[in-house]
Amino acid sequence: MRRISVVDLQLLGTIGLWALNITVTRYMLTHGFLPLAYGTTRYFAATVLALAFAYALERSLRVARRDLAIVVAAAFCLYLNQLGFVGSIHLTTASTVALILGVTPVFAGIFATLAGLGRQTRAFWMAAALSFAGVALIAAGSGGGVSSNLLGDLLALATAATWAGYSVLIAPLMRRYSPYRISALVLALGWIPLAATSSVQLHHQHWSFSTTVWLLFVYAVVGPLFLTNILWYSAIGKVGPARASLFANLQPFFAVLFALLLLSEHLGGAEIAGGVLIFLGIVLERRAHAAAEAEVAAIS
């Protein structure tokens, strides 16, 4: 039996930080923060950290002119992703959002196909069908009958789709630049429309929060938005994206566990069944991905 390595701990730590962030965000939005005001303030703080770190490390934030359009498109995806994220968690439960985010790898496969980055196997499309059937069950069960939080469910689905789109867009950039430079640039560019969209809520936001809320805010900035970039991409450099993605698939289920334990949320039968279908979809998607990689390796 293989022992757990330092890299495994890095990957697990990253997944844990991302997963806990959903519960933390739900807590913040139910303890005084307005959704868009929270997202904008958090992204501003993370942008300052990321820009300072990337510049201190590389002494430059420049990218080639040919890559500017991709950087801007990725930043726009991140902007839409943040709108979907805070909106979904504001409107529905953290556990529901966590389960729906499990379809992110399926969206990534669909977008990669549309971008001409490869064809998907029959197993992948079966995985996609299972995953979206799981989302439909969650939507049907998260409010009793057809979900009373249907808009929140749809925003969670949009969050998964925009994160997948962002991941596909930055893939070629990662071959030419460090993840720290790209992360800093897309955070900064994505924050600009986010701040404009959030201006009304920022105007009405009060800032007299408890110490607990401010400590959780620091966590939400430093952990899921800043520290995870360092842990995740340094781990990928050692073990490769395929193995790292196996850990990433655990995130929705860790996130559900945190929501159930820390927020005392509960799941109905339809939501549990939907989560099982999404899990089966993830397993099929991983097998399809592994088979495609093996086929490419055999040809080469």
Side-chain angles (χ1 to χ4, degrees):
M1 182 172 157
R2 191 177 68 83
R3 295 177 61 185
I4 294 178
S5 67
V6 173
V7 178
D8 290 335
L9 293 176
Q10 278 183 247
L11 291 168
L12 284 172
T14 302
I15 298 310
L17 289 170
W18 279 337
L20 182 57
N21 182 54
I22 296 175
T23 289
V24 167
T25 300
R26 177 66 179 174
Y27 183 90
M28 303 286 273
L29 299 187
T30 55
H31 286 77
F33 256 115
L34 299 174
L36 292 177
Y38 170 74
T40 302
T41 308
R42 178 174 171 249
Y43 259 54
F44 176 76
T47 296
V48 172
L49 271 178
L51 287 171
F53 181 80
Y55 188 80
L57 202 64
E58 304 185 7
R59 294 298 174 186
S60 175
L61 296 171
R62 295 181 63 184
V63 296
R65 184 175 298 177
R66 62 182 177 140
D67 294 325
L68 284 176
I70 301 176
V71 172
V72 171
F76 187 70
C77 276
L78 209 60
Y79 157 67
L80 294 178
N81 176 264
Q82 187 58 197
L83 291 183
F85 180 67
V86 296
S88 62
I89 294 180
H90 174 63
L91 293 171
T92 191
T93 64
S95 52
T96 296
V97 173
L99 286 175
I100 293 175
L101 291 184
V103 303
T104 302
V106 171
F107 274 121
I110 293 172
F111 293 152
T113 301
L114 293 175
L117 300 178
R119 296 176 63 186
Q120 301 299 338
T121 64
R122 182 180 298 178
F124 171 83
W125 295 114
M126 288 177 60
L130 278 174
S131 296
F132 289 126
V135 171
L137 271 176
I138 290 167
S142 60
V146 176
S147 175
S148 59
N149 300 317
L150 183 59
L151 178 57
D153 299 339
L154 292 174
L155 287 174
L157 198 62
T159 302
T162 50
W163 183 258
Y166 166 75
S167 302
V168 171
L169 279 169
I170 66 170
L173 298 177
M174 292 300 182
R175 294 192 287 268
R176 297 189 283 274
Y177 309 99
S178 76
Y180 315 115
R181 183 180 305 199
I182 297 303
S183 178
L185 288 173
V186 296
L187 274 172
L189 291 173
W191 177 79
I192 295 171
L194 184 60
T197 305
S198 309
S199 58
V200 173
Q201 286 197 10
L202 282 169
H203 177 72
H204 290 96
Q205 178 67 63
H206 72 81
W207 302 99
S208 55
F209 299 119
S210 67
T211 302
T212 299
V213 168
W214 282 120
L215 288 174
L216 289 175
F217 179 81
V218 172
Y219 163 82
V221 172
V222 176
L225 280 180
F226 178 69
L227 184 58
T228 52
N229 270 329
I230 299 172
L231 292 173
W232 183 253
Y233 289 110
S234 64
I236 285 179
K238 296 172 185 175
V239 302
R243 185 169 157 201
S245 64
L246 293 176
F247 285 83
N249 290 330
L250 297 173
Q251 180 194 338
F253 305 100
F254 279 139
V256 169
L257 183 63
F258 286 136
L260 297 178
L261 292 177
L262 300 179
L263 297 177
S264 299
E265 294 184 355
H266 68 278
L267 295 173
E271 292 169 291
I272 293 171
V276 170
L277 286 181
I278 290 172
F279 176 75
L280 292 175
I282 288 173
V283 172
L284 270 179
E285 187 274 336
R286 280 292 90 205
R287 288 190 173 183
H289 183 76
E293 286 191 331
E295 184 178 341
V296 170
I299 294 173
S300 60

